[in-house]
Amino acid sequence: MGLAQRWGERFPRWMLPLAGRPVPVRLATVPATIVAILVASASIWVLTGDHDTSLFDGAVAPVLLWPLWSVALGAATYAYHLRRRPPCPRCGRTRTPLDRPEPAR
């Protein structure tokens, strides 16, 4: 949720030594990328069927959503990176490919 919420960009007030400071981009993107890769690799185990439990077992059923979760987390991480990246050092543009073009005046 921190990748999409306001508190993913600035530390909240209750974090006294860091309150109000910007969250470093890598502090959010590196762990999220690692988790997305780990969940994707774990979902391969589920999809290949190299396990002894039935897929209809109540304990295994939530694991069937792991492939979707890993893709969604990867997409959210990439969008966070695009939104928070610094301006281009060559041209100074801060727009991302996801931004809408500015209206003509």
Side-chain angles (χ1 to χ4, degrees), residues 47-84:
L47 296 176
T48 58
D50 291 341
H51 44 77
D52 294 332
T53 60
S54 169
L55 286 178
F56 299 105
D57 186 13
V60 178
V63 177
L64 296 175
L65 296 175
W66 283 8
L68 178 64
W69 182 40
S70 66
V71 170
L73 181 58
T77 304
Y78 185 61
Y80 180 87
H81 166 73
L82 290 178
R83 191 174 73 242
R84 297 284 317 279

Side-chain angles (χ1 to χ4, degrees), residues 3 23-39 69-70 73-74 77 80:
L3 296 173
V23 174
V25 175
R26 289 187 180 155
L27 184 63
T29 56
V30 170
T33 302
I34 291 171
V35 170
I37 291 169
L38 289 175
V39 171
W69 182 40
S70 66
L73 181 58
T77 304
Y80 180 87

